[in-house]
Amino acid sequence: MIKIAIIGVGRWGVHLLRNFVAHPQVRVVAVVDPHPERLAAVKQQFNLDENILLTTQWQDLQQVPGLTAVAIATPASTHYGLIKDALKQGYHVLAEKPLTLDPKECRELCYLAEQQQLMLMVDHTYLFHPAVQQGQAIVQAGKLGDLRYGYATRTHLGPVRQDVDALWDLAIHDIAIFNNWLGQVPVKVQATGTVWLQSEMGEQGNTEKVPVSFSPLPPGLADLVWVTLTYPDGFQAYIHLCWLNPDKQRRLAIVGSLGSLIFDEMSPSSPLTLLHGEFEVQGNHFLPVNQRREVLELATGEPLRQVCDRFVVSVLKNIPSEVSSGWVGKELVEILAALTVSLQQGGNPVFLDIGV
């Protein structure tokens, strides 16, 4: 049995609390949030036991006997301090993405977790989605033939963040999926963007520790961002990100010589589709052949529940999660930081050498 504290019960933390309260191998012993009204709300919503500590102060957790782990769902700017303190106090950590806003901090936390022999896992929920898991198997089995390129669109009308831009708010999901499906991380990244809504915000919260030598992008938080990822084998993926588009899209695809694999969250009846099709050469002409649409059946279950289950297994069996470890979180933050440099430099390519 794991004794866990939930730190932050805002929009996402509530779902972590819901899953851990229902988990047979977990006992929620504390909930921390700076807003007393949130604590009162979750106590009523989940009928929390009177013995569960509800507090606005993170430091109060030191009074909880036998605390095993913490789940952190607070603003990203607070992650480094909270995770570092938790690891030093001997707690296993499940952290909401991104791990931190600084690659150096991510690396430090990963090493600290290893030194303390503790689990550090990042809640990259999409990597536990049945469509993403099955998609990885299809791509890596070679069913698409020679891979040609990938594309993704993640748009909606709000919420508009005031601490990070659309890049940091949205891109991490699609980058994580492309990396997972391809089994690679990019070696070159580029980003361009446009600022409309918050042009007077000054420096973006996520760029404070990223060196910028030239900045054609006006100050503020980019509402629209176009991303290009180039992988070691030359494969390229293109991502469209925008939070002021009423046309809500959550679509990602990889195109190969034998067909395309499409993950479309907005299509609940067929979120994962394999479109078969290739060209037959006849003289100087390329004729489409073998065209058919295959809707893939998926396992049921909430992805976040799988995240929580995997964290529990990691803690109880001392086995890190290869899919979403702290090191995976560090890789994604490195990519976002490099994209930020490219964004501020008007789309200049930034080269990456991601290692330990």
Side-chain angles (χ1 to χ4, degrees):
M1 183 68 71
I2 293 173
K3 290 185 177 181
I4 196 168
I6 312 298
I7 304 174
V9 282
R11 183 181 63 86
W12 195 246
V14 165
H15 295 296
L16 285 168
L17 177 59
R18 169 175 56 81
N19 274 279
F20 281 125
V21 162
H23 200 288
Q25 293 174 289
V26 173
R27 180 180 166 197
V28 176
V29 294
V31 179
V32 183
D33 193 282
H35 305 282
E37 64 274 14
R38 286 183 183 172
L39 296 173
V42 296
K43 180 178 182 179
Q44 181 177 10
Q45 180 180 353
F46 299 106
N47 192 27
L48 298 181
D49 190 277
E50 293 293 333
N51 293 326
I52 295 176
L53 173 67
L54 304 178
T55 178
T56 59
Q57 301 298 320
W58 142 253
Q59 292 80 4
D60 290 346
L61 293 184
Q62 297 178 28
Q63 305 169 15
V64 180
L67 183 62
T68 311
V70 297
I72 297 174
T74 60
S77 59
T78 68
H79 283 188
Y80 172 70
L82 287 172
I83 295 171
K84 185 175 182 178
D85 285 350
L87 292 172
K88 285 188 171 182
Q89 292 177 36
Y91 307 141
H92 301 280
V93 177
L94 173 63
E96 188 183 12
K97 62 81 188 169
L99 180 54
T100 76
L101 299 175
D102 181 353
K104 292 181 180 179
E105 292 178 347
C106 292
R107 191 177 298 109
E108 178 188 339
L109 293 176
C110 289
Y111 279 127
L112 178 59
E114 290 182 353
Q115 292 166 5
Q116 297 286 91
Q117 297 184 323
L118 295 168
M119 293 299 116
L120 173 58
M121 180 173 165
V122 186
D123 175 16
H124 293 295
T125 311
Y126 275 98
L127 299 182
F128 294 82
H129 194 295
V132 173
Q133 293 173 330
Q134 188 164 344
Q136 181 197 44
I138 290 170
V139 172
Q140 297 192 0
K143 293 184 178 181
L144 299 181
D146 296 329
L147 301 184
R148 291 182 166 154
Y149 77 102
Y151 62 91
T153 301
R154 188 168 294 270
T155 64
H156 52 253
L157 191 63
V160 176
R161 296 282 296 270
Q162 295 181 326
D163 55 343
V164 294
D165 58 12
L167 172 68
W168 279 80
D169 186 33
L170 305 175
I172 196 168
H173 304 298
D174 298 308
I175 298 171
I177 296 171
F178 278 126
N179 290 0
N180 180 265
W181 282 10
L182 297 169
Q184 307 176 63
V185 293
V187 292
K188 183 176 73 172
V189 299
Q190 294 169 268
T192 58
T194 305
V195 177
W196 285 296
L197 301 180
Q198 300 180 97
S199 59
E200 303 300 324
M201 293 295 291
E203 276 197 9
Q204 299 174 49
N206 59 283
T207 64
E208 291 176 358
K209 298 172 184 175
V210 178
V212 176
S213 57
F214 173 64
S215 181
L217 186 71
L221 301 179
D223 305 294
L224 169 67
V225 179
W226 301 92
V227 166
T228 302
L229 310 173
T230 302
Y231 288 84
D233 60 1
F235 181 92
Q236 288 190 312
Y238 308 91
I239 307 175
H240 169 206
L241 309 158
C242 188
W243 58 27
L244 47 69
N245 191 340
D247 175 25
K248 183 174 182 178
Q249 294 191 55
R250 295 285 186 275
R251 197 169 192 267
L252 181 146
I254 286 185
V255 179
S257 59
L258 300 179
S260 298
L261 182 64
I262 300 171
F263 172 34
D264 187 352
E265 275 190 274
M266 305 309 294
S267 177
S269 60
S270 55
L272 190 65
T273 305
L274 183 55
L275 298 179
H276 299 270
E278 55 188 302
F279 282 118
E280 183 178 276
V281 180
Q282 294 186 4
N284 295 327
H285 301 284
F286 297 88
L287 301 180
V289 297
N290 300 328
Q291 291 179 280
R292 63 186 175 91
R293 181 174 183 265
E294 181 183 356
V295 176
L296 301 169
E297 293 188 9
L298 301 176
T300 58
E302 181 188 7
L304 183 58
R305 181 175 180 179
Q306 287 198 43
V307 172
C308 296
D309 284 343
R310 187 63 186 84
F311 180 63
V312 171
V313 169
S314 291
V315 172
L316 292 178
K317 296 189 176 182
N318 194 33
I319 302 174
S321 167
E322 292 184 4
V323 173
S324 197
S325 66
W327 291 110
V328 172
K330 188 269 300 183
E331 287 179 350
L332 290 166
V333 170
E334 281 188 295
I335 295 166
L336 288 171
L339 282 165
T340 297
V341 174
S342 178
L343 181 66
Q344 292 294 331
Q345 294 179 352
N348 286 346
V350 175
F351 294 87
L352 287 161
D353 182 14
I354 296 178
V356 175

